[in-house]
Amino acid sequence: MINNTPEIKLGIVAVSRDCFPNSLSENRRKAVVKAYDGEIYECPIIVENEIDMMNALEDLKKAECDALVVYLGNFGPETEETLLVKYFDGPCMVVAAAEETGDDLVGGRGDAYCGVLNASYNLKLRNLHAYIPEYPVGDAEDVAAMIKDFVPVATAVVAVKNLKIISFGPRPTNFLACNAPIKQLYNLGVEIEENSELDLFEAFNKHAGDERIPAVVEDMAKGNLKPEILPKLAQYEITLLDWIEAHKGSRKYVTLTGKCWPAFQTQFGFVPCYVNSRLTKMGIPVSCEVDIYGTLSEFIGTVVSKDTVTLLDINNTVP
């Protein structure tokens, strides 16, 4: 499979309100890391003030973390923990520690539940987005499970922000699902490259006789019942893969969408569905009808499930 989805490196930072011992946050953080079934970078800096916050961000950057868990081991400093979310270059999660005992209001008390309420209010005031579970407070095992749920969310966010959707042909009228304005995708950080079918046809013709075609034909021939069409399909697949390589630019991930009918069959001499499915299996989703939102949905599904995803049309032939 082509490397078209990210592998996330998580980091966790514990924060502490200066009126609580920071060892409370530190020990609770260590317990969460021990309970977590997966790789997570444990930032050694306990954030109590802005200098700590800046040092923690630098440490996370050196560790090449893509996503961050901001962990309130006690009440936490709402300004500094919010600034962690603001300045960290990636998706963030905010969770908090439950109290270990109900009768120890001196050594075991951390007020993290109250702290996460303040943190969420501060995030909203600053127009910041963070992943906060429905009930964001728990013991080490609970928080570890919450972090597990955060991983696919973080992966999808990182993937989308590094995605380019390449389309071929005009999007159809009377299909709002396919033809919706693309500004909302720009708002998500997605880059769009729209091309003419004529550009694709020219690139396809230039690949006639490409020396790679026989090897692709041989791979396609396994179980295929129409061997006479395989050279054209192989030529088309190579055309798309070369286009991706030449046009992905600064983006790490790419999806495609194009038209399948009615002119495609008459001009190219085949339908693209088989090649589209082969690319989708490689980890490069391809949607029909120049459905830019559809290929984004397929890509998110692929990233989250780590499996092949497609969209199926529901009509009256479906039971």
Side-chain angles (χ1 to χ4, degrees):
M1 179 179 284
I2 293 173
N3 183 22
N4 202 41
T5 58
E7 291 294 331
I8 292 296
K9 183 174 182 181
L10 276 176
I12 183 170
V13 174
V15 300
S16 175
R17 189 72 169 258
D18 56 11
C19 57
F20 291 92
N22 64 22
S23 58
L24 184 61
S25 279
E26 182 178 17
N27 292 334
R28 287 173 168 177
R29 181 200 70 210
K30 289 179 178 178
V32 169
V33 172
K34 184 178 180 181
Y36 182 67
D37 179 24
E39 182 183 348
I40 186 167
Y41 173 72
E42 191 174 1
C43 177
I45 299 167
I46 303 295
V47 172
E48 289 186 317
N49 53 55
E50 286 193 46
I51 301 301
D52 293 335
M53 180 269 298
M54 294 167 63
N55 290 336
L57 287 170
E58 186 63 28
D59 182 71
L60 292 162
K61 185 176 180 180
K62 287 180 181 177
E64 299 182 331
C65 293
D66 307 293
L68 177 62
V69 177
V70 178
Y71 178 63
L72 279 68
N74 57 45
F75 190 97
E78 64 179 272
T79 297
E80 288 77 8
E81 66 204 16
T82 305
L83 292 178
L84 271 173
V85 174
K86 180 176 182 178
Y87 294 121
F88 180 77
D89 186 21
C92 296
M93 171 187 192
V94 178
V95 283
E99 309 297 12
E100 281 86 353
T101 62
D103 55 359
D104 181 2
L105 296 181
V106 181
R109 178 184 171 193
D111 285 357
Y113 178 66
C114 185
V116 81
L117 294 176
N118 283 33
S120 62
Y121 184 57
N122 202 317
L123 289 166
K124 187 68 174 178
L125 287 173
R126 297 173 187 266
N127 295 315
L128 298 174
H129 298 283
Y131 175 80
I132 301 178
E134 186 174 353
Y135 189 78
V137 178
D139 61 20
E141 288 73 22
D142 295 331
V143 172
M146 296 178 205
I147 295 173
K148 207 74 173 177
D149 292 338
F150 173 56
V151 172
V153 176
T155 305
V157 171
V158 170
V160 167
K161 286 186 175 181
N162 288 280
L163 175 67
K164 176 180 280 188
I165 299 175
I166 297 176
S167 69
F168 298 100
R171 289 182 285 157
T173 57
N174 284 332
F175 285 85
L176 185 62
C178 303
N179 203 23
I182 60 176
K183 184 180 184 301
Q184 292 298 339
L185 300 188
Y186 288 142
N187 291 343
L188 291 176
V190 179
E191 190 57 49
I192 313 289
E193 178 192 295
E194 297 182 278
N195 303 279
S196 164
E197 289 173 287
L198 196 57
D199 296 326
L200 179 60
F201 194 48
E202 179 189 38
F204 171 74
N205 288 328
K206 286 181 176 178
H207 281 78
D210 191 290
E211 62 183 10
R212 296 167 290 176
I213 289 176
V216 178
V217 167
E218 183 179 356
D219 185 57
M220 287 180 167
K222 302 166 186 174
N224 193 287
L225 301 178
K226 290 190 176 292
E228 67 276 7
I229 202 67
L230 295 186
K232 281 190 174 181
L233 293 176
Q235 181 179 332
Y236 183 61
E237 182 175 301
I238 292 167
T239 300
L240 292 179
L241 290 172
D242 282 355
W243 192 288
I244 289 170
E245 196 58 38
H247 289 251
K248 68 190 300 185
S250 62
R251 292 282 151 151
K252 294 180 181 178
Y253 316 113
V254 175
T255 64
L256 300 174
T257 181
K259 295 190 75 173
C260 319
W261 65 281
F264 194 99
Q265 303 97 300
T266 61
Q267 301 309 304
F268 283 81
F270 57 90
V271 291
C273 312
Y274 179 55
V275 172
N276 291 354
S277 67
R278 279 174 56 89
L279 264 64
T280 298
K281 190 175 181 181
M282 294 177 196
I284 307 171
V286 185
S287 67
C288 306
E289 311 297 356
V290 202
D291 184 0
I292 290 176
Y293 277 83
T295 195
L296 175 64
S297 298
E298 290 183 24
F299 179 67
I300 293 172
T302 299
V303 165
V304 170
S305 69
K306 298 189 182 297
D307 202 351
T308 304
V309 173
T310 191
L311 294 177
L312 297 177
D313 197 6
I314 296 178
N315 56 47
N316 57 4
T317 64
V318 178

